[in-house]
Amino acid sequence: MTTRKIKKVAILGSGVMGSRLACHFANIGVKTYLLDIVTPNLPEDQQQIAAARNGLVNKALETAIKSNPSPVYHKDVVKLITTGNFDDNLKWISEVDWILEAVVENLEIKQSLYEKVEQFRKPGTLVTSNTSGIPISWMAKGRSDDFRKHFCGSHFFNPPRYLRLLEIIPTAETSPEVVDFLMQYGSLHLGKTTVKCKDTPAFIANRVGIYSIMAIFKLMGEMGLSIEEVDLLTGPLTGKPKSATFRTSDVVGLDTMIKVLQGAYDNLPNDEYRDVLQVPAWILKMNENKWIGDKVGQGFGR
């Protein structure tokens, strides 16, 4: 059994998932760095002020703490979270035991960030991605042998304090010790039901979940159902979470859901249900209007 311990983590990306993951690690007493890009479009007189440069990440953490349901056991745990930015503070990752990337679902952005991570990461440090569906093997291309050996997917679900599932997705190069450790750590310390997944498009839960949501959208149009009727029929009444269909979409974010759908559609050319994964025009229109859910305060439920 490995003697690996997690005393400090770095969460890279402070969006809906990253900020709440930082809160959940703090919940279990782990010191956490939450890092993101420097606040964009800063005035000249603010560009050298640390608080201003960290404005984006600080706002994200503040929003997460105020969200309902709360991502923290109690407000004091937030003291374990230190915020920073990629330009000034990425060197902090040399201190951590686990680097968890949760930036936007864009392969090039993730690969570019990993290149910077390798400048500061100490050998043996775990590196995982919270990607919703990008192939894990693609993301580690070009990285060192030690990086690839300690790299895999760790797909949490939003909100991570409450949703039990954690998918661990190794590549052919991931060390079995890393996989075994993450499976055990997720269960014993993070309170998760950990599931080992193959590196297939959308993994397990999203492969099933996005198909289900898109099939429901199709039926909704055919049967003339309202949003309220769909969520009534696809929630606790049928043994599913109370977030049902549209509330789940708001929490996840239409932008993220579209990326997962597109990735699955592009990478499943022979799937018999592939056509169901095509994004409807009205969903694309909502995304174009930035009506993408809770993260912007406007979606299906508002």
Side-chain angles (χ1 to χ4, degrees):
M1 184 62 66
T2 181
T3 58
R4 186 184 294 274
K5 295 184 183 301
I6 303 297
K7 296 181 180 179
K8 190 180 290 187
V9 303
I11 309 294
L12 308 184
S14 66
V16 172
M17 278 301 300
S19 57
R20 286 157 179 78
L21 281 171
C23 289
H24 195 51
F25 276 96
N27 280 336
I28 64 169
V30 176
K31 293 181 179 179
T32 304
Y33 291 130
L34 178 61
L35 308 178
D36 212 319
I37 61 171
V38 173
T39 307
N41 305 316
L42 282 176
E44 189 73 31
D45 62 347
Q46 298 288 304
Q47 290 181 6
Q48 302 304 316
I49 301 174
R53 292 173 67 79
N54 294 336
L56 184 147
V57 64
N58 289 339
K59 180 64 176 177
L61 180 58
E62 179 185 341
T63 299
I65 294 166
K66 292 179 179 178
S67 64
N68 184 27
S70 175
V72 294
Y73 295 163
H74 54 83
K75 295 295 175 63
D76 286 348
V77 304
V78 180
K79 296 175 183 176
L80 291 171
I81 303 173
T82 301
T83 57
N85 66 75
F86 297 153
D87 289 0
D88 304 327
N89 310 117
L90 198 58
K91 59 187 177 184
W92 291 349
I93 67 174
S94 64
E95 307 169 16
V96 309
D97 307 296
W98 183 355
I99 301 162
L100 202 161
E101 170 269 308
V103 301
V104 64
E105 285 289 88
N106 180 295
L107 178 62
E108 291 184 4
I109 290 174
K110 291 178 186 291
Q111 289 178 325
S112 176
L113 180 58
Y114 295 159
E115 185 175 357
K116 296 175 183 176
V117 163
E118 280 224 277
Q119 298 175 30
F120 302 105
R121 169 189 172 269
K122 66 177 183 285
T125 302
L126 300 174
V127 186
T128 67
S129 175
N130 191 63
T131 179
S132 300
I134 296 175
I136 305 301
S137 59
W138 293 3
M139 290 188 282
K141 286 182 178 178
R143 304 277 56 85
S144 67
D145 289 345
D146 187 81
F147 186 106
R148 297 196 307 273
K149 179 181 177 181
H150 294 89
F151 178 75
C152 69
S154 59
H155 183 210
F156 293 80
F157 291 78
N158 189 35
R161 174 184 168 184
Y162 299 94
L163 295 193
R164 292 291 300 277
L165 182 59
L166 168 57
E167 294 178 323
I168 301 299
I169 313 106
T171 71
E173 298 176 278
T174 307
S175 165
E177 176 269 324
V178 168
V179 178
D180 291 345
F181 174 80
L182 289 172
M183 293 287 288
Q184 181 190 53
Y185 188 88
S187 175
L188 290 181
H189 298 281
L190 292 169
K192 302 302 173 190
T193 298
T194 51
V195 177
K196 182 180 175 182
C197 304
K198 292 181 179 179
D199 191 9
T200 58
F203 316 130
I204 298 174
N206 276 347
R207 180 77 166 270
V208 174
I210 60 171
Y211 168 80
S212 174
I213 288 175
M214 298 310 293
I216 289 167
F217 284 175
K218 186 173 184 294
L219 282 172
M220 178 184 180
E222 293 174 355
M223 301 177 68
L225 298 173
S226 68
I227 288 175
E228 292 76 17
E229 288 171 329
V230 168
D231 274 0
L232 174 64
L233 294 169
T234 59
L237 187 67
T238 51
K240 296 181 179 179
K242 62 182 180 181
S243 56
T245 299
F246 286 100
R247 178 73 188 121
T248 296
S249 300
D250 277 346
V251 170
V252 171
L254 275 187
D255 54 339
T256 299
M257 192 169 76
I258 288 170
K259 287 183 173 69
V260 175
L261 281 166
Q262 194 62 58
Y265 184 84
D266 291 345
N267 294 299
L268 294 168
N270 301 315
D271 193 285
E272 59 186 309
Y273 294 108
R274 183 174 184 247
D275 289 346
V276 177
L277 302 178
Q278 285 188 299
V279 185
W282 59 276
I283 292 291
L284 293 174
K285 183 64 176 178
M286 288 184 67
N287 187 58
E288 182 183 326
N289 291 340
K290 307 298 182 186
W291 301 339
I292 57 176
D294 287 5
K295 66 181 79 174
V296 298
Q298 185 168 6
F300 292 114
R302 307 188 187 196

